[in-house]
Each structure stands twice: as structure tokens, then as C-alpha cells.
């Protein structure tokens, strides 16, 4: 099917318009982050004040907060991805008694908002002595991520090539080898997409770290950013620089994995 020059021009115009709308807030934040903090800096300093990032990093103690976020993110992503792959394989490759109601029970983790469970969950973890620890922040997010991850990987395994599974079974492979040595390498785009989405949601989580660490010993990067303005600065320059620093890890990870992420999203769009 051939596309006329007018249709092509219209498509590019629409794409450019949406790109401008999407990039305008990002460029505004970058401009504010590189702007002078005081009028004197505008007269005497360079046009782009890159030192704002260093000042925001030191004043906001973001080295500590980002380390906490990285630790929580590694725990959540590794545990949630492993459990999601195994649960998705069980629900996607097999039909067993009670599988459908049990799968719907998993889906409750997607439908129930965090605000509805965070208070009773806090008292449960407090009774176990886990509040103000990294596990109190990570474990609830593992449970929430496994709910989506099971749904995502089940859809992939339901559409997996059955000939691969049958050939592996004929060669004497058990379920463990079929999953980890046959299906997981083929499912890399879907797994990378799951890893990226889980890390992004974990990194941006605000409510759970706020509630589960009441003495503020384990502030994560978004929580530190929210408390940064009132405690350290009055203007918006350092706050914008801090916002760029907090968002940078997710942006870099997406740029590194974007090819696999897009491939996984496209494959997931056409599977059952």
C-alpha cells in the first residue's frame, strides 16, 4: 500500500506535534536546572550552570538516597522477575485444577491500589519487626510487581512455540530445564520489558517508602526529592537539578534497553 506525499507530511506533522508536547516539560526542567541560582550568577557566571547538579547532589544527600533506591530496586526486580517467570510459566504452559481462580487472585494485586493496603500492611510489618528496614520497602513492591509480572509472562508463555517445549520434553528435559534453558532465552524481550517496567515503578514509588520508614532512616530518591525543597532550598533551580538527577537512572536504563523494550511491547501486543 503506497502512501501519498500529503499523508506522509501529515503523519510527520502529527508526530512532531506530539514530540514537542512530550519534550516541552523535559526541556523546561533542564533549562531551570542549568539556570543561574541568583541574579549575580547570571551576570558573572557561565551561561550554563552545570555546578547546580553538584550542589543539589551534596545539599540533598542524594548519594545516600539513590543508594537506598538502587538496593530496593535490585531486590524488587530480581525477586519479582524470578517469581513472575515461574508463575507465568505455570499459568501459561499448564492447565491444572483451580488455575483460573488462582490466576484471578494474582490479578487482585493489579486492581487493588496501594493506598488501600498500605496502612494495615504497615501494622503487619511492624508486628514482624520489619519497619524501618529495606525489606519493609521492598517486599510490598515485590508482591505488587509479581501480580503484573505473572499476567505479563503468562500471556507470553501461552503464545510460546509449543514445538520447542515438545522437543525439549522428548529429549528428557524436565520442567526446570524447559523453562530456564529453552523458554527464558527466547523470552528475553518480554523479560527485559518486565525488568524495565518493574524498575521504573520501584524507583518512582513514593508512598511505601514514606510509610514503611517513619523515622526517615531509609529515604529513597523520590522521597528525598519531595523533602528537598522545604529543607534545603527556597528556589527552583536546585530543585530542578535534583529532579533531573533522580530521573536520570531510569532514562539511562531505558536508552540502553530500548530496543528490547520496544520489541517486547510489540510482541506482547499481539499475544493472547
Amino acid at each position: 500500500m503506497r502512501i501519498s506525499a500529503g499523508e506522509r507530511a501529515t503523519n510527520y506533522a502529527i508526530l512532531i506535534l506530539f514530540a514537542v508536547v512530550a519534550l516541552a516539560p523535559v526541556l523546561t526542567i533542564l533549562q531551570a536546572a542549568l539556570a543561574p541560582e541568583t541574579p549575580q550568577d547570571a551576570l558573572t557566571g557561565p551561561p550554563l550552570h552545570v555546578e547546580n547538579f553538584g550542589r543539589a547532589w551534596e545539599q540533598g544527600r542524594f548519594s545516600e538516597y539513590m543508594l537506598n533506591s538502587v538496593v530496593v530496586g535490585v531486590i524488587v526486580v530480581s525477586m519479582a522477575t524470578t517469581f513472575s517467570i515461574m508463575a507465568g510459566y505455570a499459568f501459561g504452559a499448564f492447565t491444572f485444577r483451580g488455575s483460573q481462580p488462582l490466576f484471578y487472585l494474582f490479578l487482585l494485586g493489579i486492581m487493588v491500589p496501594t493506598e488501600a493496603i498500605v496502612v494495615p500492611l504497615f501494622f503487619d510489618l511492624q508486628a514482624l519487626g520489619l519497619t524501618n528496614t529495606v525489606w519493609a520497602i521492598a517486599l510490598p513492591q515485590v508482591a505488587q510487581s509479581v501480580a503484573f509480572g505473572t499476567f505479563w509472562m503468562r500471556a507470553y508463555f501461552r503464545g510460546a512455540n509449543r514445538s520447542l517445549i515438545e522437543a525439549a520434553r522428548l529429549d528428557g528435559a524436565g520442567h526446570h530445564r524447559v523453562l530456564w534453558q529453552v523458554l527464558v532465552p527466547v523470552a528475553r524481550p518480554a523479560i527485559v520489558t518486565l525488568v524495565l517496567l518493574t524498575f521504573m515503578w520501584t524507583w518512582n514509588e513514593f508512598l511505601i517508602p514514606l510509610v514503611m520508614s517513619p523515622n526517615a532512616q531509609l529515604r529513597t530518591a523520590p522521597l528525598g526529592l519531595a523533602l528537598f525543597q522545604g529543607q534545603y532550598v527556597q528556589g527552583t533551580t536546585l530543585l530542578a537539578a535534583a529532579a533531573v538527577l533522580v530521573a536520570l537512572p531510569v532514562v539511562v536504563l531505558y536508552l540502553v534497553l530500548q530496543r528490547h523494550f520496544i520489541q517486547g511491547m510489540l510482541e506482547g501486543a499481539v499475544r493472547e
Side-chain angles (χ1 to χ4, degrees), residues 6 29 54 56 61 78 80 88 97 102 117 125 133 136 153 162-163 169 177 181 193 213 225 230 233 244 249 262:
I29 294 295
R61 298 170 55 192
S78 58
R97 186 176 181 181
L102 186 59
I117 61 173
L125 294 176
T133 67
M153 296 308 301
R162 294 292 172 178
S163 61
R169 298 292 292 174
R177 289 189 60 190
Q181 298 184 17
T193 303
S213 181
L225 177 63
V233 296
V244 173
I262 295 173

Side-chain angles (χ1 to χ4, degrees), residues 91 98-111 147 154:
F91 287 114
S99 60
Q100 202 72 8
L102 186 59
F103 177 67
Y104 291 149
L105 182 63
F106 270 80
L107 294 184
L108 285 177
I110 303 176
M111 295 181 284
R154 172 184 177 269

